[in-house]
Amino acid sequence: MPSLLKIVGIAFGAIALVGVVVGSITWAILASQGPTPPELVPLDWWEHTVIYQIYPRSFKDSDGDGIGDIKGIITQLDHFVDAGVGAIWMSPVFVSPMVDFGYDISDFYNIQEEYGTMADFEELVEKAHQLGIKIILDYVPNHASTESEYFKKSVAREPGYENHFVWANPIIDPNNASNRLVPSNWISQFGGTVWEWNEARQQYYLHQFAIEQADFNFREPAVKEEMLNIMRFWFEKGADGYRLDAIPHLFEADPNDYGGQYPDEPLTGNPFLTPNQAGYTTQEHTRDQIELYDVVYEWRGFADKWTNDNNAETRILLAEAYANVTMTMLYYGNERDRIGAHFPFNFDFINSLSSNSNARDFVYIIKRWLTYMPQGKVANWVFGNHDQKRMPSRFRPNMVDGLNSLNMMLPGVAITYQGEEIGMRDGYVSWEDTVDVAACNQGNPDNYLQFSRDPARTPYQWDRSTSAGFSTNTSTWLPVSQDYLEINLQAQKEATRSHFKMYKSMTRLRKEPALSHGSYHIQSLSENTFALVRYLLTHDTYALVFNVGETSDTVDLSTVQFLEEPLTVYASSVHSNRVVDDTVPRGSVTLQAGEALVLRASPM
């Protein structure tokens, strides 16, 4: 007789065999049915949207005074629908003396007269919301105009306002007791010392930007409370969120930590800067102080509570954060118990890439953000804004379609600065026409363009009519760019192929599940060309192949992962010889300088 152990072993073997057979049958059935499609979790309105930045002064003039306004924006809301935009962010439209064109606010609760009225703003919100477009306001908490009531009351030391701003006593010159010295060697972002003497108060006040922009004191509880009051007011007016301006400057070194005096900053040693230019000192005491993050976290808590209390759609906070990658990621939250901004703006394409960058640079910069970004957060991509040279002027005009396509195909939120959808370039603004405070403070007729932001702010180019269709007035606040006859929206709508039509095709593509919910893969194929693939089980795969070099380049697409044949062209840059639905081999492909191909591949 067989042993008991042998009998048991045979029995278990039979059971295992049955299990293998049943399992094989089950797998065969599942395989014949194909892979199970993943469930697409609905996204919040902001998580995969396209945000379009408007510089209101330069977007559309409705009354012929040469200055853009809110009614002008209202007349062009259909443009955003046509372009596939989900939200518009407006640079400040609040009451301001316009020293820094709206970023020096004197009344945070009212609309600047030349931009319109509160009724105009309310109409904009109502009509935009009817079209499914969200409104994001530029919120400027770091400073206020010296013409504001806040500042006037602080100068007069009115109760409750004495410490609304950063005030400091002068340092007495040890060699001359009658000589008044500034409290520290800190340099303003617009040049010169950050300290300005106020005769009435007999103290210096801090201004990290223009003299007329006095810095709030965020160590004063009344200031923090007023910031929440301002947020609440515009939420109730219908704002869907805020872009938080100049957040790195909210706090500066506390003199109590340095024996009661503000510490001097070390010099950077940059031989190309003068003692009056930003960057001459390290700015280690004037930006990125750790206290500022707690304020951002408090604001997020406030926004979330307001949303919940009012049973409203999500109100978002977007932080302007020029900092190293580690400090930038802290704006998302501290990964323990504090939630921060919905995202900090990603300026890597502005700060780290240029026309000299190769494909590996692009791949590295993209992977760096996605690697450092905390788990579960949403990425974003910025290619230009009102403070930087326009995208085609920083890179090359033949890269416009590739850059816009890259923006639309990367995971997260795509941000477009006005004019990028038609490839607008920096306009020429003479020294005589220059109005930017940064250029006027630091420049002269020989070097002002080094500092001027005006070329990126010239009026939007709608058509070939007077002032490019921006205004009926031949005189505009900044001159219209001289290339408007060639580059304008109307011409691109009429053309068979154009930057705008390519842009529209890419915003439509963002609705595909592979882009909204899928995974990504990015790799360099050569020094000049890289590929970005977006894929999701059972859905079409899409790939961007982009030559960022100045010469043509032949690459092998067979090395690109997650691509299945056949490959067809979904979209191509305007100077490409390939057109929609052309077949592309999964092998050797040659791309012209700057050429971008968006390919559709079979589902995985």
Side-chain angles (χ1 to χ4, degrees), residues 56-69 72 75-76 459-480 484:
R57 203 170 184 82
S58 293
F59 190 66
K60 181 66 174 178
D61 171 21
S62 71
D63 57 10
D65 66 354
I67 297 172
D69 47 49
T75 67
Q76 301 301 326
Y460 190 89
Q461 294 158 207
W462 295 97
D463 54 41
R464 296 185 179 93
S465 66
T466 300
S467 295
F470 162 71
S471 175
T472 57
N473 197 326
T474 56
S475 177
T476 54
W477 82 281
L478 279 177
V480 173
Y484 79 92

Side-chain angles (χ1 to χ4, degrees), residues 23-61:
S24 298
I25 293 172
T26 303
W27 174 251
I29 293 172
L30 289 175
S32 67
Q33 294 175 342
T36 303
E39 182 178 351
L40 301 183
V41 178
L43 299 177
D44 203 347
W45 70 263
W46 62 274
E47 292 180 300
H48 189 64
T49 195
V50 177
I51 298 176
Y52 187 103
Q53 183 195 353
I54 292 175
Y55 196 71
R57 203 170 184 82
S58 293
F59 190 66
K60 181 66 174 178
D61 171 21

Side-chain angles (χ1 to χ4, degrees), residues 347-524:
F347 296 123
D348 283 350
F349 281 93
I350 294 174
N351 294 336
S352 302
L353 296 174
S354 69
S355 59
N356 296 320
S357 301
N358 63 34
R360 296 182 183 94
D361 296 326
F362 275 79
V363 171
Y364 168 74
I365 288 301
I366 291 166
K367 284 186 174 180
R368 184 176 72 169
W369 184 276
L370 294 171
T371 299
Y372 274 87
M373 186 175 69
Q375 184 71 25
K377 300 301 182 180
V378 175
N380 73 100
W381 313 93
V382 181
F383 287 72
N385 60 37
H386 62 292
D387 287 331
Q388 308 292 336
K389 289 185 178 298
R390 289 187 176 275
M391 181 177 73
S393 298
R394 285 198 333 275
F395 292 95
R396 288 185 296 276
N398 67 0
M399 295 175 67
V400 167
D401 294 327
L403 293 170
N404 279 332
S405 298
L406 178 60
N407 194 3
M408 296 301 161
M409 288 189 66
L410 285 166
V413 177
I415 299 168
T416 295
Y417 176 55
Q418 68 177 39
E420 286 179 354
E421 75 275 28
I422 61 172
M424 278 183 63
R425 309 167 190 175
D426 283 355
Y428 173 70
V429 181
S430 68
W431 172 247
E432 290 73 23
D433 288 330
T434 294
V435 293
D436 179 23
V437 62
C440 294
N441 280 5
Q442 301 183 80
N444 58 56
D446 296 324
N447 71 349
Y448 71 99
L449 287 174
Q450 175 184 346
F451 307 101
S452 182
R453 298 169 294 177
D454 288 339
R457 300 175 176 183
T458 55
Y460 190 89
Q461 294 158 207
W462 295 97
D463 54 41
R464 296 185 179 93
S465 66
T466 300
S467 295
F470 162 71
S471 175
T472 57
N473 197 326
T474 56
S475 177
T476 54
W477 82 281
L478 279 177
V480 173
S481 180
Q482 297 172 346
D483 62 7
Y484 79 92
L485 293 175
E486 171 195 356
I487 301 175
N488 65 77
L489 179 64
Q490 187 60 41
Q492 295 196 15
K493 285 184 174 181
E494 295 170 353
T496 302
R497 300 176 71 175
S498 69
H499 296 318
F500 183 63
K501 288 187 174 179
M502 178 76 169
Y503 183 92
K504 285 178 60 177
S505 70
M506 296 310 299
T507 57
R508 285 195 301 269
L509 182 62
R510 285 176 65 81
K511 298 176 183 178
E512 289 291 319
L515 273 70
S516 62
H517 289 75
S519 299
Y520 73 91
H521 169 73
I522 187 167
Q523 68 182 85
S524 56

Side-chain angles (χ1 to χ4, degrees), residues 562-597:
F562 307 107
L563 278 185
E564 302 289 340
E565 290 186 311
L567 302 179
T568 57
V569 174
Y570 170 82
S572 59
S573 49
V574 295
H575 63 293
S576 173
N577 294 325
R578 299 176 178 89
V579 296
V580 175
D581 293 333
D582 276 359
T583 300
V584 174
R586 193 167 187 265
S588 179
V589 173
T590 300
L591 287 86
Q592 301 175 51
E595 183 176 359
L597 297 178

